[in-house]
Amino acid sequence: MTAPIRVLVCDDQALIRTGFATIIDAQPDLEVVGECGDGRAAVDLAGRLHPDVVVMDVRMPVLDGIEATRLLAGVGVAHPVKVLVVTTFNLDEYVYQALRAGASGFLLKDAPPAQLLHGIRTVASGAALLAPEVTRQLVGRYAARIRPADGTPDDVGLTPRELEVLRLIADGLSNGEIAARLVISQETVKTYVSRILTKLDLRDRVQAVVYAYRSGLVT
């Protein structure tokens, strides 16, 4: 049998922490290996417990979720841990910063339990997870602030079709939805996505979305 996905839950609200842990532990393929209430404890526990996924809140005492994510999954981390940020929508700027810090995805705290479980499994598999219904609002709200003053889409080294796929990724579309929109196969979409990530030296779709907004490819 395949070993269960090991999950560390980090949230400063005990009720939310317990709720998440109860939902996760009820699944045969998931296992909560630890719980904590601040980012520093998350970093320390992750170093000892080696979870597959850390479910991370943003606003916490001692060390917030953004800095904890950077220490767990940021650039230069020798053994990065996959981080799934779970937050409220009014913290969207903080979530954007967490994605830049290395998080593999985010969900809203009021998402149904099934979405939380899907998010953990998706991130654990090595894929990235964005909540499509808030992707545009999340990053787009701060696009004017984060976009560089110079640089145009012509500067990024992508073909017109790759640029089109990147914009659709930034809109929160899945591979299947992109395939339907462009009338191509999902395998072809996967090839385009792989090329985009390689050319731009990006880790996953989350970084691709952030890059698209920072480069002014999406408005």
Side-chain angles (χ1 to χ4, degrees):
M1 293 180 63
T2 303
I5 297 168
R6 295 164 54 82
V7 183
L8 172 63
V9 178
C10 184
D11 194 296
D12 65 335
Q13 298 184 53
L15 285 176
I16 291 178
R17 213 164 53 233
T18 301
F20 284 173
T22 301
I23 292 168
I24 294 166
D25 263 337
Q27 305 301 306
D29 61 329
L30 303 177
E31 176 189 7
V32 174
V33 295
E35 301 177 35
C36 57
D38 66 77
R40 173 53 61 190
V43 174
D44 293 342
L45 280 176
R48 298 203 308 268
L49 301 175
H50 307 292
D52 298 304
V53 177
V54 177
V55 176
M56 182 80 75
D57 189 19
V58 174
R59 280 186 168 173
M60 293 182 293
V62 186
L63 188 71
D64 65 35
I66 297 168
E67 289 304 315
T69 296
R70 186 172 290 111
L71 292 173
L72 290 170
V75 176
V77 174
H79 302 288
V81 179
K82 296 179 178 67
V83 178
L84 176 63
V85 172
V86 183
T87 187
T88 54
F89 183 59
N90 64 354
L91 296 180
D92 50 4
E93 181 178 15
Y94 295 98
V95 178
Y96 168 76
Q97 294 172 4
L99 296 179
R100 288 195 65 195
S104 292
F106 73 89
L107 288 173
L108 304 183
K109 280 189 177 178
D110 59 359
Q115 284 190 23
L116 172 66
L117 299 172
H118 171 70
I120 292 170
R121 294 180 179 116
T122 298
V123 169
S125 74
L129 181 81
L130 292 172
E133 69 272 17
V134 296
T135 299
R136 179 179 293 276
Q137 298 95 317
L138 169 69
V139 187
R141 179 172 302 183
Y142 297 93
R145 184 189 310 175
I146 64 179
R147 186 180 302 134
D150 54 0
T152 67
D154 295 333
D155 299 328
V156 301
L158 300 180
T159 66
R161 181 61 110 180
E162 289 165 351
L163 283 170
E164 190 173 14
V165 171
L166 178 56
R167 291 187 176 103
L168 293 176
I169 292 173
D171 278 339
L173 273 65
S174 66
N175 284 354
E177 292 166 334
I178 293 173
R181 178 76 63 87
L182 301 180
V183 196
I184 56 178
S185 70
Q186 289 197 48
E187 287 302 316
T188 300
V189 174
K190 290 179 182 178
T191 298
Y192 280 125
V193 172
S194 178
R195 288 177 184 170
I196 291 167
L197 298 181
T198 298
K199 285 185 176 182
L200 300 179
D201 193 25
L202 302 173
R203 185 187 62 199
D204 53 35
R205 295 170 78 98
V206 173
Q207 290 192 351
V209 171
V210 173
Y211 179 92
Y213 278 96
R214 285 184 58 82
S215 302
L217 297 173
V218 179
T219 58

